Amino acid sequence: MITRTVDDLTQRLSELHEKTRETPLFNPVFQLSLDLSRQLESGDLSLDDIESMIAELECQSLKSRASRLRRNLAPVSPDANDAVLSEMCELSDFDAFRARWENPSLHAVFTAHPTFLLTPDQSDAVATSASSEGEIGDAACAAHTERPEITLIYEHGRAMRAIANAQDARDRMVANALKQAQKQWPGKWYAAEPLPFRFASWVGYDMDGRTDIKWFDSIGFRLAEKAQRLSRYVASLEQIDADHRLLETLRNAADYSAERAEDFRQDLSEPAALSQAANTLTADHPSKLLSLTSIIDLLEAEAVGAEPARAIQLKTLAAAMRADGLGMGWIHFRVNSSQLHNAIRRRIDPDNTLDLSSKGAMATLRDLLKKVEPLRSNFAALAIESSTAIRQFLAMAQVIHHIDGDAPIRMLIAECEQPSTILAALYFSRLFGIEDKVDVSPLFETESALEHGGRFLDALLAEETYQEYARKRGRVAIQTGFSDAGRFVGQIPASLAIERLQGRMADAMRDNGLTDVAALIFNTHGESMGRGAHPGGFADRLAWPLSPWTRRRFVRAGIRLEPEVSFQGGDGYLHFATAELALATLTRIAALNPSATDPDAPTDPFYRRTDLSLDFYRAVRKHQRDHLESQTYSRALTAFGLGLLNSTGSRVSRRQSDLSADRDMNLRQIRAIPHNAVLQQLGYPVNVISGVGSAADGNYEDVAQLLQESERGRQLIRLVRASNALASIKTVAAFGELFNSAYWASRPYRGTEKHLSDACEALAEYLTKDDRTGTFRRLASRLRVDALKLHRLLDMIPDEAPLENRENVRRSIGALQALRLTLLQHMFIKAVSIPAFSRANDISRDDVLEMVFTLRVDDALAQLRRAYPTSFPGLEDFTVDEPSDYPDGDGEGYTVIQRDYIDPLERAYGLSLRIGTAIANEFGAHG
């Protein structure tokens, strides 16, 4: 039977699955790919037919993505969410209302993590479909279009679009809350200053691991954000009063900021260009607005004497200004700790002999901080500074002095494991006179940082200088990272380790008398299960990175909590892609109120039975570490390089390397998002699932009982079940069979595919020395043993949230995987069938084959087109007088080779990337 429809595919896959009862080693996914490959290579099936099936499965995946998004945010109707908000405002007294609404429930940070998987049309189609209460149909299936180039400017534009929708949703919520307050407390409500959410972004300001962002790019982005926000304030005020007296001030400030943003969009590498732009920005000007304080005061004063409807509008605008300042939100700069170390050594250790973690270094830094006197700085000083870290502080100083004097700036420090790093950051903040506007925040995400983070916080918070600084800023700020932590120790151990660190922070603040300042905890998790986004709805999403146990530690210590989360890249921005989704997202967060908890709630058994839970944590962590340190795991994950993935961000996903380095690629060369994305594409999220079953081995009943009785334990199991429902060890094994020399040698053995004999023989011979088949088989065996134990454990725990249409979803993913394996076989056959090179013969045939096998297809295509050009100079291109009879043939063009080999190779790879997008959609996020 010729397979030309998705129904045919899934039906055949179901039939093949039945055969696993006869022989456990039978692989239905690979067998289906072989069936399809035979049809494709015989001409019974075409790439057009395969593309049609992919398009249908792609459509299903987009509808699945839209359904998942709506399910997590429901209800999405604005009227329904207005009603939820109105109920939340029914409080006992006005003081309770103010306490509830004047402190942010959450800080939301819009980052540029590389998750821009969907095209703009696909994102819009998914978001629009998820924004209605009706059935999600084919309208979610945007036609496939060329992917845009993902540049920093593209990422910034998408971030600002999402923030704008978030701002509008917050305005609606604030207006609703004020309306309810006016009804309940008509004589008091004017005193309310709602601030339910703050928004921030680091898009354009994150320098960690990037050399493509120039300092003047960051200044330009900040000025553009200022101009955009001022224009939005103008639009809001025009709706209140088209002739309002403040409009001229705001319009002039918006125009001025836009002009200055244009100045800093230019290349300012040359001193003359920079001098002109800098002098214009720093000069006094009547439209240079650096603070909104006076405007906010005027709006609030006007509201007091206005009729209620107008007063609510005025106070809503004032609330927006109070929240965002002169930008689309607050901004986060980011550097690596090593960059700060290099900078501070210039001041205290020019000979590089001092251990910065030593007591001597801490004493030196304490002394330095006591003696430091602020220095003036300007754009010229910024331009000539060679140190990345110092350049960041100088840039922040210019932003505060010349763009927005009100809004504080976060300085995030990656890989921060020593208190001296924080003191170094405080020194530079004080040196450039911005200490009162900068929140220095260490990032904990490496295994070492999580393990020693408690002692780090104990030492840092005991420092008198730091305590003075924290009181000046009104908060202690930290950042926890779920992506790298989840990659290196597994998502479940990472989350539990982060939870423990957060608890240690509460203890350290209490023990050092810092209960009079807030604890700002920025949990940077992504949208996927492997990077800390729980799929069980917003209650689980918010509780996974900041558990009720953690919150109670702060509440009981009398410490105000400021939770902060990230919405990362294109996947994260989907929550704010429409007005309806933005309102639904913020309403779910406000209703759950992650900044508060019940301090008297009984202790979860997970934290009481540490004899079980701690052993469970350690066992899962050890299992994950064993994978990470295993050559088998590393080789399997890097078998195709990153060739299974689309480009999804402007930041490079891995360091460049040659072919030999590809074969020995280390997992640490791959960043967290592509690492997790490869696991999705191979069919098994190892860093979520693996180890849970083995951790219960020998003690299933007790572990199952603990996990069932504990809310934290049930949450953990919901995550594992959701991931496991999409996982397939058979698929992992199927990828290895692509490199099985015996498979290729046997395929034409009985004369059924004589036309492929030469290609299969060439592949069989080439792959005799390849190690990937054995690698995938070993990995599949290890995963299977652990999975047997996991299923035994799960059988003892009721399934609280079974996946809708589980088998249909699994069949769709299996069909997609089989189609991709078919395409990869087609690519392998085409690659070895290309005739021997006759032009540009410096290219190695084996090099090109290895490029195809590791899916460096663009490189392979470039080399093949160089070897087989289809256009080159002819006699007619010259105006020479002497005649020539040579060349006497048709020339040396290779149009036939291009048509029959190179073009199909390129098309097959493009289709395989579309399959990758569809699989990620079924998982709910990229990476």
Side-chain angles (χ1 to χ4, degrees):
M1 183 185 76
I2 307 304
T3 305
R4 287 198 174 90
T5 68
V6 171
D7 286 343
D8 293 341
L9 266 182
T10 53
Q11 177 61 34
R12 177 60 175 156
L13 189 58
S14 295
E15 294 168 0
L16 291 171
H17 266 286
E18 290 300 315
K19 293 192 176 184
T20 58
R21 298 177 186 273
E22 301 172 24
T23 169
L25 292 177
F26 183 76
N27 195 314
V29 174
F30 192 75
Q31 182 60 48
L32 179 57
S33 78
L34 173 57
D35 293 350
L36 293 168
S37 179
R38 283 174 170 158
Q39 294 172 30
L40 180 62
E41 302 308 331
S42 68
D44 291 333
L45 193 69
S46 69
L47 288 178
D48 287 341
D49 295 326
I50 288 180
E51 182 169 12
S52 177
M53 288 187 279
I54 291 171
E56 186 176 343
L57 288 164
E58 200 172 41
C59 177
Q60 289 180 17
S61 78
L62 289 167
K63 289 192 282 189
S64 172
R65 186 79 180 265
S67 297
R68 180 191 294 259
L69 180 62
R70 186 173 69 184
R71 186 168 60 248
N72 283 347
L73 295 177
V76 294
S77 161
D79 290 342
N81 285 308
D82 286 343
V84 170
L85 195 80
S86 296
E87 288 181 15
M88 291 167 52
C89 294
E90 294 176 359
L91 298 168
S92 58
D93 57 53
F94 185 56
D95 289 340
F97 175 87
R98 293 188 67 180
R100 176 66 179 81
W101 287 100
E102 292 187 3
N103 291 307
S105 293
L106 192 79
H107 298 234
V109 184
F110 295 77
T111 74
H113 283 79
T115 66
F116 295 91
L117 177 68
L118 301 183
T119 65
D121 287 345
Q122 288 174 329
S123 293
D124 291 344
V126 167
T128 300
S129 295
S131 298
S132 69
E133 300 287 358
E135 181 181 352
I136 292 176
D138 290 347
C141 308
H144 176 73
T145 56
E146 288 298 313
R147 298 178 58 78
E149 182 183 1
I150 310 298
T151 64
L152 181 62
I153 291 174
Y154 173 87
E155 292 168 342
H156 187 266
R158 302 296 287 187
M160 294 306 108
R161 181 174 179 259
I163 292 175
N165 284 336
Q167 290 168 344
D168 290 342
R170 184 185 58 198
D171 285 352
R172 181 170 179 147
M173 295 174 74
V174 167
N176 191 341
L178 288 171
K179 182 179 178 181
Q180 301 304 319
Q182 189 272 329
K183 288 180 181 177
Q184 295 179 62
W185 304 286
K188 298 179 179 180
W189 77 278
Y190 289 105
E193 296 180 353
L195 183 56
F197 297 98
R198 283 199 191 277
F199 306 127
S201 174
W202 74 39
V203 186
Y205 310 98
D206 173 15
M207 303 292 186
D208 181 28
R210 300 193 70 147
T211 58
D212 59 320
I213 303 177
K214 309 299 182 187
W215 67 262
F216 47 79
D217 294 330
S218 297
I219 300 294
F221 281 130
R222 190 55 177 159
L223 284 164
E225 291 166 24
K226 179 178 180 177
Q228 183 178 356
R229 194 62 180 113
L230 283 166
S231 296
R232 289 173 57 77
Y233 290 147
V234 167
S236 297
L237 189 54
E238 284 176 337
Q239 290 181 349
I240 301 170
D241 184 347
D243 298 314
H244 199 282
R245 59 195 173 107
L246 290 176
L247 279 171
E248 183 178 3
T249 298
L250 292 172
R251 285 192 188 113
N252 290 342
D255 293 342
Y256 173 83
S257 299
E259 291 168 3
R260 302 292 73 75
E262 190 60 36
D263 292 343
F264 278 84
R265 283 197 185 98
Q266 314 307 314
D267 183 353
L268 301 182
S269 303
E270 293 300 319
L274 170 60
S275 299
Q276 182 175 348
N279 288 338
T280 306
L281 177 61
T282 59
D284 290 335
H285 192 281
S287 299
K288 182 178 176 180
L289 189 62
L290 297 180
S291 174
L292 288 172
T293 302
S294 61
I295 292 177
I296 293 170
D297 290 344
L298 288 170
L299 292 172
E300 290 283 5
E302 183 181 346
V304 173
E307 52 88 19
R310 181 182 174 94
I312 288 170
Q313 290 179 301
L314 291 168
K315 287 185 68 64
T316 298
L317 177 56
M321 291 180 172
R322 196 177 288 114
D324 298 332
L326 288 166
M328 292 297 286
W330 290 2
I331 58 173
H332 292 187
F333 280 78
R334 194 164 91 137
V335 294
N336 192 283
S337 62
S338 61
Q339 294 168 330
L340 262 175
H341 294 167
N342 293 336
I344 199 64
R345 282 190 188 280
R346 288 164 45 176
R347 297 272 168 169
I348 66 172
D349 182 31
D351 297 326
N352 199 22
T353 59
L354 184 63
D355 179 0
L356 290 179
S357 63
S358 67
K359 292 182 179 179
M362 290 292 288
T364 301
L365 283 166
R366 288 188 203 106
D367 187 57
L368 198 65
L369 277 162
K370 289 178 182 177
K371 296 178 180 178
V372 63
E373 293 291 335
L375 299 178
R376 292 182 302 169
S377 62
N378 60 18
F379 280 103
L382 176 52
I384 64 173
E385 179 55 54
S386 60
S387 162
T388 300
I390 296 176
R391 197 160 55 234
Q392 292 286 72
F393 284 98
L394 287 167
M396 289 190 289
Q398 299 310 308
V399 169
I400 291 167
H401 294 155
H402 301 296
I403 300 176
D404 185 349
D406 289 340
I409 298 175
R410 191 81 52 80
M411 170 52 88
L412 304 170
I413 304 174
E415 299 181 13
C416 184
E417 299 183 15
Q418 301 166 9
S420 58
T421 308
I422 301 300
L423 295 190
L426 296 186
Y427 167 77
F428 288 117
S429 297
R430 193 171 293 182
L431 181 67
F432 299 117
I434 55 175
E435 184 185 26
D436 61 332
K437 291 292 184 182
V438 174
D439 288 309
V440 175
S441 175
L443 166 61
F444 302 94
E445 66 177 342
T446 65
E447 185 174 7
S448 174
L450 293 176
E451 185 175 346
H452 304 297
R455 289 193 292 274
F456 171 101
L457 290 170
D458 288 339
L460 176 64
L461 271 58
E463 288 291 325
E464 185 179 338
T465 301
Y466 183 82
Q467 292 176 6
E468 293 172 358
Y469 161 76
R471 289 193 171 92
K472 183 182 296 184
R473 286 295 310 129
R475 62 174 57 94
V476 172
I478 70 165
Q479 180 188 9
T480 62
F482 286 75
S483 294
D484 270 334
R487 169 169 58 137
F488 290 129
V489 302
Q491 186 52 232
I492 287 170
S495 298
L496 295 176
I498 288 171
E499 179 182 42
R500 182 171 177 270
L501 174 68
Q502 293 165 346
R504 288 286 297 272
M505 179 183 178
D507 294 344
M509 290 182 69
R510 180 199 62 212
D511 294 345
N512 288 284
L514 287 171
T515 57
D516 53 340
V517 301
L520 192 155
I521 300 178
F522 179 18
N523 290 309
T524 42
H525 62 75
E527 300 306 318
S528 72
M529 291 178 267
R531 295 193 300 113
H534 201 290
F538 250 82
D540 276 340
R541 179 192 173 101
L542 294 174
W544 183 253
L546 191 68
S547 69
W549 177 85
T550 296
R551 298 177 208 172
R552 283 195 291 273
R553 298 288 286 266
F554 286 97
V555 171
R556 289 169 178 169
I559 300 168
R560 185 169 63 86
L561 193 58
E562 291 187 77
E564 186 169 65
V565 301
S566 55
F567 290 91
Q568 297 186 354
D571 284 347
Y573 301 168
L574 273 176
H575 294 88
F576 300 91
T578 66
E580 294 84 359
L581 294 179
L583 181 62
T585 299
L586 295 186
T587 303
R588 299 290 80 73
I589 295 169
L592 293 164
N593 195 13
S595 63
T597 191
D598 178 7
D600 300 320
T603 302
D604 188 312
F606 196 84
Y607 308 101
R608 190 177 65 248
R609 289 294 311 275
T610 53
D611 57 320
L612 279 175
S613 58
L614 194 56
D615 285 348
F616 178 80
Y617 157 76
R618 287 169 176 161
V620 178
R621 178 172 167 172
K622 181 182 183 303
H623 190 98
Q624 289 283 340
R625 184 189 290 117
D626 289 345
H627 272 306
L628 192 70
E629 294 175 354
S630 162
Q631 283 295 110
T632 296
Y633 182 70
S634 179
R635 180 64 173 130
L637 255 68
T638 58
F640 298 99
L642 298 181
L644 294 171
L645 310 179
N646 289 280
S647 174
T648 57
S650 65
R651 182 177 179 178
V652 177
S653 295
R654 54 161 289 201
R655 290 189 286 273
Q656 296 298 310
S657 60
D658 58 21
L659 283 170
S660 62
D662 271 359
R663 299 185 191 106
D664 301 313
M665 190 192 304
N666 187 290
L667 286 182
R668 293 183 184 275
Q669 288 179 269
I670 304 176
R671 302 190 192 281
I673 291 174
H675 168 273
N676 293 352
V678 168
L679 289 175
Q680 287 178 350
Q681 298 303 317
L682 293 179
Y684 202 83
V686 175
N687 68 330
V688 178
I689 303 171
S690 289
V692 174
S694 296
D697 191 17
N699 200 14
Y700 289 105
E701 290 80 7
D702 288 345
V703 171
Q705 183 179 1
L706 173 65
L707 295 176
Q708 186 175 342
E709 292 176 352
S710 158
E711 174 50 39
R712 184 64 161 168
R714 292 196 300 273
Q715 184 186 51
L716 182 155
I717 291 299
R718 288 195 293 272
L719 176 69
V720 172
R721 282 192 195 275
S723 188
N724 190 57
L726 303 171
S728 167
I729 296 173
K730 291 285 189 183
T731 299
V732 176
F735 278 102
E737 297 310 302
L738 289 172
F739 303 98
N740 187 346
S741 174
Y743 163 73
W744 291 106
S746 303
R747 181 166 166 172
Y749 182 66
R750 295 189 179 275
T752 54
E753 294 182 289
K754 290 182 179 179
H755 59 294
L756 295 182
S757 294
D758 291 343
C760 287
E761 181 179 338
L763 281 166
E765 185 171 358
Y766 183 87
L767 291 171
T768 54
K769 58 184 180 293
D770 197 278
D771 65 333
R772 281 170 277 199
T773 297
T775 294
F776 276 98
R777 286 180 175 178
R778 285 192 299 277
L779 177 60
S781 295
R782 294 175 187 176
L783 296 178
R784 177 62 67 195
V785 171
D786 180 60
L788 288 171
K789 298 174 182 178
L790 175 63
H791 293 156
R792 192 174 301 154
L793 174 66
L794 295 181
D795 286 343
M796 299 179 179
I797 304 172
D799 189 352
E800 295 181 309
L803 177 67
E804 287 185 28
N805 301 315
R806 181 180 186 274
E807 289 309 311
N808 288 337
V809 172
R810 290 180 65 83
R811 290 289 180 267
S812 293
I813 294 175
L816 286 163
Q817 295 285 18
L819 284 168
R820 178 161 53 192
L821 290 164
T822 301
L823 291 167
L824 294 180
Q825 291 180 68
H826 187 61
M827 291 162 60
F828 286 13
I829 290 168
K830 290 296 181 185
V832 297
S833 300
I834 295 174
F837 303 147
S838 60
R839 288 174 63 92
N841 56 17
D842 55 310
I843 301 170
S844 163
R845 178 185 177 85
D846 283 358
D847 281 350
V848 172
L849 288 179
E850 192 59 35
M851 287 175 186
V852 173
F853 294 154
T854 56
L855 298 188
R856 289 177 58 167
V857 177
D858 289 341
D859 291 340
L861 291 170
Q863 296 286 25
L864 289 172
R865 286 184 173 126
R866 179 172 162 232
Y868 300 108
T870 56
S871 63
F872 46 85
L875 294 179
E876 66 277 6
D877 295 318
F878 299 86
T879 55
V880 297
D881 295 330
E882 185 178 13
S884 174
D885 297 323
Y886 180 84
D888 55 352
D890 293 332
E892 296 183 53
Y894 296 101
T895 54
V896 173
I897 291 176
Q898 173 119 353
R899 182 196 67 204
D900 293 344
Y901 300 102
I902 298 176
D903 288 348
L905 179 60
E906 181 176 34
R907 186 179 181 195
Y909 183 56
L911 291 173
S912 78
L913 291 178
R914 287 177 62 182
I915 289 172
T917 299
I919 289 172
N921 284 334
E922 294 290 3
F923 274 88
H926 173 73

